[in-house]
Amino acid sequence: MSDLPRRAVTRSAKLASLPLGFAGRTALGVGKRTLGKPAEAVAIEIQARTAEQLFKVLGELKGGAMKLGQMLSIFEAALPPEIAGPYRATLTKLQEAAPPLPASAVHKVLAEALGDDWRDRFESFDDRPAAAASIGQVHKGVWADGRPVAVKVQYPGAGKALISDFNQLARLGKLFGVLMPGLDVKSMLAELKERVVEELDYTIEADSQTRIRAAYLDDPDFYVPEVVAQDGNVLVTEWIDGTPLSKIISEGDQETRDHAALLYCRFLLSGPKRSGLLHGDPHPGNFRLLADGRLGVLDFGAVDRIPADFLHRMGRLLRIGTMSDITEVEDALRDEDFIREGVTIDAESLQAFLAPITEPFVNETFAFTREWLRDMAARVTDLRPTNVVRQLNLPPEYVIVHRVLSAGTGVLCQLECEIPARAESLRWIPASPTRRTASWSAAEPRRHRTSVRRGAEAGEAAERGPRTDEVRGPRFRSAR
């Protein structure tokens, strides 16, 4: 992983192969249509082959590009299983095979962040990583006060590699548009870039974790570990033990599954109302069921800042399944730009598409199952031009919300649980009875957050790499 910057040419070459392949397939499609092959069949073939090459290239790349591939997994929902399956398998293989950062390199990062006397901050430090990801790894240690801690160390050069890869892919918007023509791809990629940059900044993560911990302090259902220290590319937090949600998925009894699922759902839905933040990475590995029955929550690198007015708009969308008039449903989707201006939608097709998807928020309790998830996936991944889902847009301000709801629903289905999801949504996400006024879009861009850093500024900072003297505020800095 330490050779990420030196492999920039190789990564760029792989990414550059994507538009060339797309151009060739498009030209071939024109020829097939000329020879009489149905336009729909040609379109599906081009989409399938484009998706296959796109995710194959992303899957082969490590470091920053692999992280980007994970962030762009929202496109995976538009792919047939024979393409999405191998892509997921490739990512899993790369993550498992990722070589750990050598101890000497880890020590160098720690010295740059915490000072040459960094060992004085610890009673002990394990050089063997306890966990590894695409842009960093976690070590277990014991802080000077005797607390077990998790030490998150970012790979040197990961930021530059990630931004470089993203800049390459941002030029390929037309390629993604082939998969979902209703998408405003350019705006969505811009939003994703800003979020990826924020994930690289451990100062932002420390601030977010501290804010969420304060909101849930002494809560009977949840535990958020304390931030112990943060500087540069190092983040030190409390270490928490517990049963990973992934183990409950594979081995838990029904009572444990339902209990964990209810807390999991409650945490994701309650975050915006309680802390103003939405946890943006609901992967099972980020949740632990503690011995006292509480749910421990980890990894706050990806969060969404949700103001009250946007929370009410989200609430209206979550309730579209209870709207009897399909015109009201279409109006709600158009108000939020899920149906872009000028796009015509067949009302009956829209109603048929949404009815089963909104079931969890209509019934008093809902049984989340793999079978139901497969049925929903089949609806979303139908690439035929007549499928209404291909005309829908994903507004930039909903990128992380969509990621959380879709991934969170997938985890609930893996848990094979039955929970009162409707009651939780009504409790934590209130709906506004009024439609959004035109003054919203006229007064400001279609965004709902105030970032800690804005895109251009953040991009420049990530490309040059964090510096110790740039860490904002002394709250988490270790005394030297």
Side-chain angles (χ1 to χ4, degrees), residues 59-70:
E60 287 176 349
L61 295 168
K62 296 185 179 181
M66 185 173 72
K67 178 65 176 177
L68 181 58
Q70 294 169 310

Side-chain angles (χ1 to χ4, degrees), residues 154-227:
Q154 191 173 120
Y155 298 129
K160 291 181 180 179
L162 182 55
I163 298 304
S164 174
D165 292 337
F166 205 104
N167 288 338
Q168 288 279 349
L169 281 166
R171 301 186 183 103
L172 310 180
K174 187 176 181 180
L175 194 66
F176 295 112
V178 173
L179 303 179
M180 296 287 283
L183 284 176
D184 179 2
V185 178
K186 184 177 180 180
S187 296
M188 192 168 75
L189 286 175
E191 175 75 5
L192 280 172
K193 178 179 179 179
E194 186 172 340
R195 298 313 183 84
V196 167
V197 168
E198 286 190 2
E199 285 196 55
L200 289 165
D201 190 331
Y202 286 172
T203 303
I204 296 177
E205 181 172 351
D207 287 339
S208 299
Q209 184 164 340
T210 299
R211 181 171 166 181
I212 293 175
R213 174 180 165 82
Y216 289 92
L217 196 62
D218 298 325
D219 190 281
D221 292 330
F222 307 105
Y223 186 78
V224 177
E226 182 182 359
V227 173

Side-chain angles (χ1 to χ4, degrees), residues 257-278:
R257 288 169 178 270
D258 289 345
H259 173 68
L262 179 59
L263 295 186
Y264 176 81
C265 177
R266 181 174 296 164
F267 181 80
L268 294 180
L269 293 177
S270 67
K273 185 176 182 178
R274 295 184 62 171
S275 68
L277 299 174
L278 174 68

Side-chain angles (χ1 to χ4, degrees), residues 316 330-338 435-436 446:
R316 184 185 179 209
E330 183 175 343
D331 287 345
L333 293 174
R334 288 191 182 278
D335 284 347
E336 296 300 323
D337 209 29
F338 279 91
R435 291 174 57 176
R436 181 171 55 125
R446 299 186 60 84

Side-chain angles (χ1 to χ4, degrees), residues 86-114:
Y87 168 60
R88 287 193 297 267
T90 301
L91 275 180
T92 300
K93 181 179 178 181
L94 281 174
Q95 288 173 322
E96 292 174 349
L101 198 64
S104 59
V106 172
H107 297 168
K108 182 178 180 181
V109 175
L110 289 168
E112 290 174 350
L114 304 179

